[in-house]
Amino acid sequence: MVMGDIVTGCDVLVVGGGPAGYTAAIRASQLEKDVMLADRFDLGGTCVYRGCIPSKTLIHTADFIYNIRNPGTGIKSSVEFDLKKIQQGKYEVIKKLRDGIYHLCKKYGVEVIKGAAFFESSEKARITSPDGIVSTLKFENAIIATGSRPQVFQGFPFDGRFVISSNEALGLVKVPENLVILGAGYISIELGTMYAKLGSHVKIIQRSSRILTKFDPEVVEVVSQKMKKLGIEFFLNSKPEGMRIENDRAIVTVSESGKKTELEADKILVAVGVKPNSDGIGLENTKVELDEKGFIKVDEKRRTSDPKIYAVGDVAGAPFLAHKAFREGKVAAEVIGGLPSAFDNRAVPEVVFSEPEIARVGMDEETARSSGYEVTIAKFPFRASGSALTLDRTDGFVKIIADKKNGEILGIHIVGADASYLIGEASLSIEMASLLEDLAVTIHPHPTLPETLAEAAEMALGKVIHI
Amino acid sequence: MDIKFPDVGEGITEGTIVKWLVKEGEDIKADQGVAEIETDKAIVEIPSSKAGKITRLNGKVGDVIKVGSILAALALPGEAAAPPVKPPEVRPEVKPEKPEVRVPEVEIPEVRAPEKATGRVLATPSTRRLARELGADITKVTGTGPGGRVMDEDVRKFMEAPAKPPEVKPPEAAVGEIKLPEERIQITGIRKTIGERMVQSFFTAPHVFSMDEADVTELVRLREKEKKIAEERGIKLTYLPFIVKAVIIGLKQHPYLNASMDSKKNEIILKHYYNIGIAVDTPEGLIVPVIKNADRKSILEIAGEMQKLSEEARSRKIKLPDLKGNTFTITNIGSIGGLFSTPIINLPDVAILGVHRIRDMPVVIEGEIKIRKILPLVLSFDHRVLDGAQAARFMNTLKDHLEDPDLLLLDVV
């Protein structure tokens, strides 16, 4: 297709090349649609450049360094590291993934255009390439996957030097001596823990009385304890009042019920949520409707209020997770391709790469009860797991919430080593509408951590052996 | 692009191609009709959503085609040949004009429209996908699996309801070799639907027939008088609109007759809206157009609507929404003949009223024989929901209002 100031056409225009967008583009192409994928930057989105991939690469490295420094009984060790080189290693990982996505798009016949898209109507978009060339594109359907960006916190404008978002925090080449973090969601907890392991003095300021408010309090308590052991300080029920720069250092004023404290910081990480990228793309020229926070309103098939336009990923609302975006992208493409798909998942798993890891899928106790379920709850501790003992990772537990009436598994909450892996099986259980019995009678290899899931299910059925 | 046979409404899974409205190679406009398809309820015209050239017609007149399968292939402008055929199993995302029963204020809980399933359902992803494919609202399916899990079979059974009647084998000709002068007519379309419906009704609802006579001398006089006024407005005024009005008064006083039965949940649904089905004889068989919210319409409005709907029914142009949503049905056998009949309930109603021919009859009034206009009435009712006493009371209310039509005025809205 020729670029330039002429009108070209396609069946499906996908705007945004992150997990939601490139997945949607490839699936639509697999369904024999003529697909164009536009992104202002390289393909990959937040996940590849500013989210999942860089953070997990760095967290893994920090864990590795920390574990060498704390090797366990009978081992002596020491370690030195160069964060700059570690960052370079991280870019190699990113590049591999980015190239992989381009390769996949090529393989499946997706035409990729670099440029910012702007909707002129429900069937036409203008694409401006980085060097200013404008082309107009007519489409049968569009899928918006423009993602989200870090939310700004009043009084702490991002300056890239002192006040940074997760974007910059993932690219530091020097470990900050004093790191102050605003907010206590998963980004704050993951990056705070990572930098604490690399040697930062981390202080987390949180307005409410708990950290990770979306997660089960019992689960969070395990992580909280561990973070305190790593030297992380929590300022709960506290409000960041403002900041000033003194001698090339930032001073953050924080107040807790009137009592003011000043905290010194090399870097201030603002991690207070995300804002949808639904502005500046011409949605006012379409029938797409936004909710009061600016997220695009979608239905189960990820159709927007405009019959030609779909929206997927962060821009279509919470949870802001790549795996939710992957699924949504496929759903939208399949619906456009005439398949009976819908985002009808019973649960979206959520993971925090904290110390130890947290993972949850399905309902928590409160939601289950308020939804009218009479629940049965079991908690199987890692310290009763042979595998956890062999790994010397006995902190944590598996908590299972089920419907007392029929044993339907409503939610599984895990805190402990490798919770991020364990949640896979838990997710399948819920998606497959498993009952406690189904999980309990499934044979799990011994000695492994997944056994704890079956044990928890047996416990909920009232017939556990190992405790 | 494929033009598919869309889901035209509740329960319809297949139709017969009656007529092709286009030819292969023909250029068509968007929204132009492609074929006429006879479903078991009406003949529907299937339009093309886009303009283009018809490259292939799938099937010939008389072929039975399933909902969702490809009717014809359309090359869009600029497209050279017919695009590849997609598997016909796939349910298309066409947005059919949903035949909705419009009943203001009142929810119709028993309508099985394929709605968005948002509730939490104990079912695997593949079963949920199957439900979407078949157009079933999985939240309404009762699960028979462990813990109440909805299984594929449950979804299929749900979609098959109303249950298929047992297959009746025709009696084998006793005389083997001799060819009897017989003709075999295939049962399709409306005949087939009537058969299935009647079997389902008669073998689920225990029917009781309550018979009575109403002295409608006054009503005859009134109708004769008002007929002319109606004619001036282009409306043929029959007795039926008066009977509809009297029936509604009866239904309001005896709500269990304006109801249906949810045997799955073991509940009786009392309906606070009055949609009266009127059985119409057509060359293809009986069709029942529905006068919606008849309680809010005047006698003349009902007469006018009835006239329009019966004409549409006879010419098979009636739209599906006009054939749905009945809460009570009236069948007028009188126009053709017969003294009494025993009508079969039109599900999901719980009662049907048969009205017969008005005849001059000798009646004893205050010791004297007088000649009066007598209307025979039969009420068939579902004994699961109603008892004889309730039915008789309803018939009394009905009779009172037919015998003294002035009373109809008291309930004019």
Side-chain angles (χ1 to χ4, degrees):
Chain A
M1 223 151 282
V2 191
M3 294 288 287
D5 204 2
I6 54 159
V7 178
T8 48
C10 63
D11 292 337
V12 182
L13 168 68
V14 182
V15 181
Y22 79 76
T23 308
I26 290 174
R27 179 54 49 87
S29 196
Q30 286 171 337
L31 294 169
E32 293 174 20
K33 298 283 176 190
D34 180 14
V35 184
M36 289 189 128
L37 172 59
D39 197 301
R40 289 180 293 168
F41 307 112
D42 285 346
L43 297 185
T46 299
C47 169
V48 172
Y49 304 105
R50 301 175 294 276
C52 333
I53 299 303
S55 69
K56 265 82 249 176
T57 312
L58 295 178
I59 288 168
H60 167 78
T61 310
D63 282 355
F64 189 72
I65 292 165
Y66 178 79
N67 290 338
I68 295 174
R69 282 177 175 161
N70 303 275
T73 318
I75 306 171
K76 256 192 198 169
S77 62
S78 71
V79 64
E80 275 173 25
F81 68 90
D82 178 344
L83 187 55
K84 201 171 176 178
K85 284 196 177 139
I86 291 173
Q87 290 289 12
Q88 278 163 4
K90 182 197 79 177
Y91 288 121
E92 289 307 313
V93 175
I94 289 174
K95 262 191 249 164
K96 265 184 206 148
L97 281 167
R98 180 198 62 193
D99 295 347
I101 296 168
Y102 275 96
H103 169 76
L104 290 171
C105 284
K106 198 174 165 197
K107 177 176 168 191
Y108 290 106
V110 172
E111 185 165 347
V112 180
I113 326 169
K114 198 165 196 173
F118 185 86
F119 287 91
E120 289 183 333
S121 71
S122 298
E123 47 199 28
K124 238 191 239 175
R126 201 170 67 219
I127 313 241
T128 311
S129 74
D131 39 14
I133 297 170
V134 177
S135 55
T136 305
L137 201 61
K138 255 193 102 163
F139 54 81
E140 289 286 316
N141 291 110
I143 301 176
I144 303 173
T146 45
S148 62
R149 57 184 184 267
Q151 175 86 260
V152 176
F153 189 79
Q154 216 189 346
F156 294 82
F158 292 124
D159 60 13
R161 186 157 171 240
F162 293 105
V163 185
I164 58 174
S165 70
S166 51
N167 299 355
E168 295 80 22
L170 290 167
L172 301 182
V173 290
K174 207 179 132 226
V175 176
E177 201 185 320
N178 290 295
L179 175 64
V180 170
I181 306 179
L182 310 192
Y186 80 95
I187 292 176
S188 156
I189 299 310
E190 288 183 2
L191 297 186
T193 305
M194 175 191 101
Y195 278 114
K197 284 179 178 172
L198 293 178
S200 295
H201 297 291
V202 177
K203 300 178 177 73
I204 292 176
I205 306 174
Q206 164 78 332
R207 264 203 174 159
S208 66
S209 59
R210 320 206 279 118
I211 61 164
L212 294 172
T213 48
K214 276 185 78 182
F215 293 83
D216 184 300
E218 279 187 289
V219 160
V220 173
E221 188 51 31
V222 176
V223 170
S224 237
Q225 289 307 324
K226 183 72 189 177
M227 286 176 84
K228 281 176 193 158
K229 275 189 200 155
L230 286 168
I232 296 170
E233 289 176 68
F234 294 109
F235 295 78
L236 303 177
N237 301 310
S238 300
K239 191 173 166 242
E241 296 286 355
M243 58 165 288
R244 61 178 197 277
I245 312 291
E246 247 173 44
N247 302 327
D248 217 26
R249 286 208 152 178
I251 312 285
V252 178
T253 313
V254 55
S255 72
E256 189 206 336
S257 47
K259 199 185 88 198
K260 288 194 180 171
T261 318
E262 294 202 329
L263 308 175
E264 218 174 76
D266 305 288
K267 299 283 178 200
I268 303 164
L269 166 61
V270 178
V272 292
V274 298
K275 207 172 146 15
N277 292 331
S278 57
D279 47 347
I281 53 172
L283 292 185
E284 58 282 3
N285 304 325
T286 68
K287 296 189 205 88
V288 172
E289 283 175 23
L290 306 178
D291 70 9
E292 67 282 354
K293 285 181 178 161
F295 293 98
I296 297 175
K297 286 192 207 167
V298 290
D299 68 5
E300 205 184 35
K301 295 179 187 296
R302 291 305 177 253
R303 298 180 290 210
T304 66
S305 322
D306 191 313
K308 294 197 140 200
I309 302 179
Y310 293 66
V312 291
D314 286 5
V315 78
F320 311 112
L321 299 166
H323 46 269
K324 170 237 176 204
F326 284 130
R327 171 98 184 108
E328 285 183 314
K330 286 180 238 177
V331 167
E334 286 170 1
V335 170
I336 290 172
L339 298 179
S341 292
F343 192 88
D344 68 338
N345 288 73
R346 287 162 60 82
V348 179
E350 292 183 51
V351 173
V352 186
F353 291 85
S354 47
E355 180 61 58
E357 290 175 354
I358 293 177
R360 61 165 289 175
V361 62
M363 295 184 203
D364 55 27
E365 231 180 293
E366 211 184 302
T367 318
R369 287 189 208 279
S370 63
S371 307
Y373 287 97
E374 202 188 324
V375 296
T376 176
I377 293 172
K379 217 171 90 182
F380 185 85
F382 271 34
R383 63 180 149 71
S385 148
S387 173
L389 284 164
T390 62
L391 300 169
D392 191 20
R393 302 292 302 276
T394 50
D395 285 344
F397 55 85
V398 170
K399 181 171 174 177
I400 198 160
I401 296 160
D403 185 348
K404 201 169 193 173
K405 221 169 56 218
N406 61 357
E408 175 189 349
I409 300 170
L410 300 173
I412 297 180
H413 302 259
I414 307 169
V415 58
D418 289 343
S420 59
Y421 293 104
L422 297 178
I423 208 67
E425 181 183 349
S427 304
L428 182 68
S429 308
I430 291 184
E431 207 54 61
M432 290 297 289
S434 302
L435 310 180
L436 286 171
E437 187 191 352
D438 299 324
L439 186 52
V441 303
T442 302
I443 296 176
H444 291 71
H446 179 75
T448 63
L449 290 174
E451 289 174 289
T452 55
L453 283 165
E455 295 280 358
E458 279 217 293
M459 217 173 151
L461 290 168
K463 49 179 186 184
V464 70
I465 301 248
H466 293 103
I467 200 163
Chain B
M1 191 191 99
D2 297 324
I3 302 170
K4 294 181 185 173
F5 177 28
D7 184 357
V8 289
E10 181 188 347
I12 287 182
T13 55
E14 60 178 42
T16 312
I17 303 175
V18 205
K19 194 174 169 191
W20 284 109
L21 302 172
V22 294
K23 285 195 213 67
E24 285 186 4
E26 187 176 330
D27 286 314
I28 62 161
K29 295 199 241 359
D31 298 326
Q32 186 177 334
V34 173
E36 279 183 7
I37 298 208
E38 181 183 32
T39 68
D40 47 15
K41 293 214 169 139
I43 291 182
V44 285
E45 190 180 301
I46 308 298
S48 166
S49 62
K50 293 200 174 131
K53 187 192 276 295
I54 296 284
T55 54
R56 196 181 62 254
L57 300 180
N58 270 359
K60 45 185 194 305
V61 169
D63 283 0
V64 173
I65 174 162
K66 296 256 180 242
V67 162
S69 54
I70 296 163
L71 202 52
L74 182 77
L76 301 176
E79 227 175 58
V85 180
K86 299 246 168 76
E89 263 16 276
V90 170
R91 193 182 179 79
E93 269 316 302
V94 281
K95 282 161 211 134
E97 192 187 308
K98 266 195 197 156
E100 270 176 322
V101 187
R102 283 190 198 281
V103 184
E105 290 141 17
V106 188
E107 290 257 321
I108 307 182
E110 81 282 14
V111 171
R112 274 183 194 168
E115 310 156 338
K116 218 170 68 172
T118 45
R120 191 181 165 81
V121 183
L122 196 63
T124 63
S126 57
T127 305
R128 274 143 40 200
R129 193 253 309 126
L130 177 73
R132 281 197 298 278
E133 217 166 78
L134 300 177
D137 178 354
I138 197 166
T139 58
K140 298 215 164 81
V141 180
T142 313
T144 60
R149 187 185 297 154
V150 177
M151 316 299 280
D152 283 6
E153 267 321 293
D154 298 330
V155 175
R156 290 212 175 87
K157 281 206 186 111
F158 177 81
M159 285 313 280
E160 276 164 18
K164 291 254 159 65
E167 264 183 53
V168 182
K169 276 199 181 158
E172 298 227 344
V175 217
E177 284 130 45
I178 304 164
K179 258 202 176 174
L180 291 172
E182 288 174 341
E183 197 184 343
R184 280 179 175 261
I185 293 152
Q186 220 194 339
I187 301 171
T188 55
I190 294 183
R191 193 71 257 145
K192 197 169 152 205
T193 310
I194 295 174
E196 288 169 5
R197 292 274 168 89
M198 292 304 110
V199 166
Q200 199 209 351
S201 172
F202 205 68
F203 294 107
T204 6
H207 282 56
V208 181
F209 308 100
S210 174
M211 305 185 185
D212 212 329
E213 288 178 336
D215 178 345
V216 292
T217 315
E218 286 307 313
L219 180 64
V220 171
R221 200 170 296 150
L222 178 69
R223 184 247 176 182
E224 285 304 322
K225 210 173 89 197
E226 308 299 348
K227 206 164 74 173
K228 289 210 183 85
I229 302 173
E231 261 165 32
E232 281 163 22
R233 298 197 203 171
I235 295 168
K236 189 180 155 211
L237 184 62
T238 64
Y239 292 105
L240 264 179
F242 294 96
I243 297 171
V244 168
K245 274 293 169 192
V247 160
I248 286 169
I249 293 163
L251 295 178
K252 285 192 170 167
Q253 292 185 15
H254 311 282
Y256 277 75
L257 278 102
N258 194 53
S260 60
M261 166 123 186
D262 184 341
S263 44
K264 263 188 198 159
K265 289 193 184 147
N266 223 16
E267 284 171 351
I268 294 169
I269 304 159
L270 299 182
K271 299 172 181 180
H272 304 299
Y273 54 93
Y274 302 88
N275 295 345
I276 308 297
I278 307 286
V280 173
D281 177 51
T282 76
E284 285 86 6
L286 202 63
I287 291 188
V288 187
V290 180
I291 314 257
K292 305 277 162 62
N293 302 313
D295 57 320
R296 298 178 198 182
K297 290 172 180 161
S298 73
I299 287 177
L300 274 187
E301 281 171 336
I302 292 173
E305 197 172 327
M306 212 180 271
Q307 199 173 323
K308 181 178 148 267
L309 292 178
S310 344
E311 275 161 22
E312 286 177 355
R314 289 201 180 96
S315 59
R316 303 296 306 274
K317 286 197 178 117
I318 193 154
K319 298 199 177 68
L320 282 171
D322 287 328
L323 295 173
K324 293 157 156 258
N326 46 292
T327 63
F328 185 92
T329 301
I330 299 174
T331 175
N332 177 17
I333 305 121
S335 54
I336 301 168
L339 183 57
F340 276 112
S341 64
T342 56
I344 295 176
I345 296 165
N346 182 24
L347 293 182
D349 299 354
V350 293
I352 183 168
L353 179 73
V355 297
H356 302 77
R357 175 167 288 180
I358 298 172
R359 293 174 307 149
D360 287 344
M361 292 285 284
V363 178
V364 178
I365 298 173
E366 290 169 358
E368 277 183 54
I369 295 177
K370 293 209 166 147
I371 295 176
R372 306 287 290 178
K373 305 278 184 195
I374 298 301
L375 169 67
L377 298 166
V378 178
L379 180 80
S380 306
F381 65 87
D382 185 340
H383 211 336
R384 293 174 304 172
V385 177
L386 291 158
D387 292 332
Q390 274 164 297
R393 281 186 210 112
F394 167 79
M395 286 294 257
N396 287 342
T397 311
L398 180 64
K399 263 173 68 180
D400 288 348
H401 286 77
L402 291 174
E403 292 183 348
D404 184 0
D406 289 350
L407 283 178
L408 289 176
L409 286 175
L410 297 179
D411 289 278
V412 165
V413 275

